[in-house]
Amino acid sequence: QSALTQPPSASGSPGQSVTISCTGTSSDVGGFNYVSWYQQHPGKAPKLMIYEVSKRPSGVPDRFSGSKSGNTASLTVSGLQAEDEADYYCSSYAGSLWVFGGGTKLTVL
Amino acid sequence: QVQLVQSGAEVKKPGASVKVSCKASGYTFTNYYMHWVRQAPGQGLEWMGIINPSGGGTSYAQKFQGRVTMTRDTSTSTVYMELSSLRSEDTAVYYCARDLYGSGSLVFWGQGTMVTVSS
């Protein structure tokens, strides 16, 4: 099972919006609505930000949103804030197993 | 509140095995799947496998098939991940993470256990 494809880096200025893509196949992202997004700050455990493509857990700001089209899922962070600078990982169900993306380092300029 | 508390750091020699524990509290242990995810230094997250604490059923990533064993002890609400035939590439932080309700949405994470493989 191959890892999902994410851009290694993304950036934006405070207040701007940035979108991170996550490309898989019809066997994972395209085949199921079980895509999750995680935020990870250095030295910390990952934090669930989006689940089942577009749902937000309690406590996650509505600046974070998720979507999916075909085999590509996307995470959009609106109104960028300094604390959004982190690594972001997507994950997808792939039929009795799960797979992560390689991660995207988001820099707030 | 939900807590996942993992065992402490380990240093192992190549070829040895390591067993990491993850003790759960604050919820009904048998109601939620548990995943294991690892992260090598400076690298991304890697899914290793999942265990159903209720029946003990497991599913492992192909990469770890034959080397990993996930078990659980319902009397202590603890899951275990044992990785054998360790090599230097297995040096990583190992996390247990609880599923939200079976969709692979990992909502609660342990603090991580650093496993170092070195001769």
Side-chain angles (χ1 to χ4, degrees):
Chain A
Q1 184 67 36
S2 301
L4 307 176
T5 300
Q6 296 181 236
S9 63
S11 63
S13 299
Q16 288 186 332
S17 293
V18 65
T19 296
I20 299 170
S21 63
C22 170
T23 301
T25 69
S26 58
S27 297
D28 38 63
V29 174
F32 309 94
N33 287 323
Y34 290 140
V35 176
S36 302
W37 288 91
Y38 301 88
Q39 177 192 67
Q40 187 180 35
H41 288 109
K44 301 292 188 180
K47 176 185 177 182
L48 180 66
M49 304 302 284
I50 296 289
Y51 69 100
E52 293 177 13
V53 177
S54 59
K55 298 178 181 178
R56 267 188 316 274
S58 174
V60 172
D62 60 8
R63 303 185 294 103
F64 292 84
S65 62
S67 62
K68 190 184 84 166
S69 178
N71 296 337
T72 298
S74 299
L75 172 73
T76 298
V77 186
S78 305
L80 271 175
Q81 298 182 4
E83 59 262 35
D84 299 333
E85 184 161 298
D87 293 324
Y88 291 83
Y89 296 91
C90 63
S91 174
S92 175
Y93 180 64
S96 75
L97 57 92
W98 278 261
V99 62
F100 280 98
T104 297
K105 181 174 181 59
L106 174 60
T107 300
V108 180
L109 302 170
Chain B
Q1 71 285 16
V2 174
Q3 281 194 307
L4 301 176
V5 179
Q6 298 183 222
S7 49
E10 302 262 13
V11 179
K12 297 291 184 181
K13 294 194 181 303
S17 297
V18 68
K19 191 170 187 177
V20 180
S21 67
C22 170
K23 183 173 177 59
S25 62
Y27 69 96
T28 301
F29 176 70
T30 51
N31 284 1
Y32 299 90
Y33 293 113
M34 196 76 80
H35 298 244
W36 286 90
V37 176
R38 79 176 187 180
Q39 186 171 36
Q43 303 300 309
L45 302 174
E46 183 173 30
W47 186 81
M48 298 183 69
I50 182 175
I51 182 168
N52 178 354
S54 179
T58 57
S59 178
Y60 305 136
Q62 187 173 9
K63 175 177 180 177
F64 301 103
Q65 290 274 3
R67 280 210 303 146
V68 70
T69 304
M70 296 178 188
T71 56
R72 94 289 188 218
D73 182 343
T74 56
S75 68
T76 60
S77 299
T78 302
V79 295
Y80 300 91
M81 186 285 300
E82 184 170 21
L83 189 62
S84 62
S85 303
L86 290 169
R87 36 211 188 226
S88 59
E89 310 89 88
D90 294 318
T91 294
V93 176
Y94 289 77
Y95 293 101
C96 59
R98 202 206 84 178
D99 206 312
L100 186 57
Y101 51 71
S103 63
S105 310
L106 306 183
V107 63
F108 298 105
W109 292 69
Q111 82 275 21
T113 296
M114 182 71 210
V115 175
T116 302
V117 183
S118 174
S119 55

